[in-house]
Amino acid sequence: SDFLNVVNSNSVEAGSQVADVVQGKSDSLAQAMISMEESKMSFQLMLEIRTKLLESYQEISRMQV
């Protein structure tokens, strides 16, 4: 759950920075882009972990006892 919280906070932070740039509150476009990429990468990692967990569960469920 800690990892999900980190992914969520990365997404919220990236959205906030992009909104600040769009509204003219910040001139740091580069930092906003970096935050967006970090958010994207952490989300992709979360999806890969989920996929591996599902594959593992399916493999275990196919095993005969």
Side-chain angles (χ1 to χ4, degrees), residues 12-61:
V12 169
E13 178 67 24
S16 169
Q17 288 186 2
V18 169
D20 287 348
V21 169
V22 169
Q23 294 172 356
K25 295 179 183 176
S26 173
D27 292 333
S28 182
L29 179 61
Q31 184 59 40
M33 294 297 292
I34 290 170
S35 293
M36 285 177 47
E37 283 299 313
E38 286 177 354
S39 175
K40 177 183 168 186
M41 290 180 68
S42 64
F43 188 77
Q44 286 176 340
L45 176 62
M46 179 190 67
L47 289 178
E48 286 295 321
I49 291 171
R50 178 196 63 115
T51 301
K52 291 294 182 184
L53 286 172
L54 286 174
E55 288 173 357
S56 299
Y57 173 77
Q58 290 171 348
E59 184 68 29
I60 289 171
S61 67

